[in-house]
Structures are given as C-alpha cells and as structure tokens.
Amino acid sequence: MQALDVRKLQRQRLLTLGNSLTWSWSVNGETCAAINLLVGFDRVTLNYRTRERGGDWRPMRYPVQMTWTACNYGGRRAWWLCPALGCGRRVAVLYGGTVFACRHCHRLAYRVQRETDDDRAARRADSIRRRLGWEPGILNGNGLKPKGMHWRTFERLQAEHDEHVGVALAGMAGRLGLLSKLTEALRPP
C-alpha cells in the first residue's frame, strides 16, 4: 500500500507554494505507482489514476487540506487533514486506495496489533537478546554478560528474557497441540 508521508515531503523542502512534483513508489527498483502533487497555500492537490479489482482506470483529482503546528525549538510541522468524508483527522501519513486517507479510514492496523501474546513474547525476548549481544532466536542458548553491564541489570534482563521465552514456547506448544497431548499423557488412568 502506498504511503504519502508529509514529513518526508517537508524534510525534502517540497512543500513550497506553487511547487508541482511527481512522487513515485517502487518495488525492486521498478516504479509501481506514481502521483502528481500541486502544492498550494494550505492544501496539496493530488492527481493520479486508480482502478478497483482490475477494472477501468479512473482519474482522481482532489485537494488535501494541510495544517501546521509550531515546533518547540522553532519552525513548524506540516500535517495532512484526512480527506475522507467525515474524517478530517490530523495525520502525518495518508495511505493509498481509491482515495488517499488515514489508517483509521482504511481500517489499517499496526503489525504489533495483530500479534498473539506468544508472538509478542518472542519479539520481546529477541529484543532483550539483541541488547545483551546474544545470538538471535529464542531457541538458541543464553550467552554471557556483556562487558560493562552491571550484574543486577544483567540478571534482571535475563529473568525477563526467560519469562518471555516461557510464554512464547507455551503459546507455540498450544498452537501445535502439544499441550493437550501432554496433559492427556499425564492424566491418571
């Protein structure tokens, strides 16, 4: 899905009045989508073609309002106002579709919002492994204490790691049906 990030446009100083540009997305070095942008005073006009489910191409042209907020140390930050009907949220990123809109209007979720508890535990354990300089992967053995780390910190991180690994392995075993087989095997006759 194409993302139109106003922060990138501002960082590259492309949001100057009257500027006309083409923004494109590529996969493996090959352009897969492009959009024309015309910058106005408080809006950017999007101009592109779209099609649904392999149908005919339809031209789309509409303005997206912008707003600006002051930064703490000077300057100002640009924001999109979501153009979807009835939305108007202030967002940094608009996502492509028939209409470029915010993640709420497209009902998009962050990857971590779709994680199961055991997936989250495995990710957190790997994060601790990275911090400790251990080999990635929860099935790999524990490593040594990094040089310069306090023993108390190391022991706390190791305990957190082991707890996350336990949750992750229990979840994996449950998904594979190993827990039910184990409880059946341990059940008295």
Side-chain angles (χ1 to χ4, degrees):
M1 177 166 276
Q2 290 76 32
L4 192 56
D5 192 335
V6 74
R7 296 167 298 192
K8 287 182 182 177
L9 294 171
Q10 187 177 14
R11 216 175 292 126
Q12 294 179 17
R13 302 189 190 288
L14 299 174
L15 295 176
T16 56
L17 184 62
N19 193 14
S20 179
L21 64 126
T22 300
W23 191 263
S24 60
W25 296 270
S26 59
V27 175
N28 298 327
E30 213 173 296
T31 300
C32 63
I35 185 171
N36 295 314
L37 305 155
L38 177 60
V39 181
F41 175 68
D42 62 347
R43 72 190 71 209
V44 173
T45 302
L46 307 182
N47 188 7
Y48 59 98
R49 295 181 322 140
T50 185
R51 65 179 177 175
E52 292 182 38
R53 297 179 183 90
D56 292 336
W57 287 99
R58 286 187 3 219
M60 300 293 288
R61 182 182 175 90
Y62 56 91
V64 176
Q65 297 293 320
M66 291 177 56
T67 188
W68 300 83
T69 57
C71 296
N72 288 334
Y73 297 107
R76 57 190 197 145
R77 177 172 291 128
W79 299 94
W80 300 120
L81 295 178
C82 179
L85 195 60
C87 183
R89 276 188 175 91
R90 186 178 75 180
V91 295
V93 182
L94 295 175
Y95 296 91
T98 303
V99 172
F100 276 79
C102 68
R103 72 172 37 259
H104 302 285
C105 294
H106 280 301
R107 296 185 180 149
L108 299 175
Y110 292 103
R111 185 176 45 193
V112 296
Q113 290 175 306
R114 293 187 294 264
E115 280 183 333
T116 60
D117 290 340
D118 54 302
D119 286 337
R120 185 173 295 114
R123 181 175 48 81
R124 288 178 176 166
D126 268 340
S127 174
I128 293 171
R129 293 182 76 80
R130 244 187 330 277
R131 182 170 173 193
L132 294 173
W134 295 353
E135 187 179 355
I138 62 172
L139 297 178
N140 293 319
N142 292 358
L144 303 173
K145 178 184 87 65
K147 184 177 179 182
M149 182 178 279
H150 289 274
W151 275 103
R152 199 164 106 194
T153 303
F154 174 70
E155 289 166 354
R156 177 182 53 82
L157 288 173
Q158 192 172 24
E160 284 178 30
H161 170 268
D162 294 345
E163 186 178 326
H164 291 314
V165 168
V167 171
L169 292 176
M172 288 180 212
R175 274 193 267 177
L176 294 173
L178 299 176
L179 288 181
S180 58
K181 291 176 185 174
L182 181 64
T183 54
E184 284 176 24
L186 295 175
R187 189 174 298 141

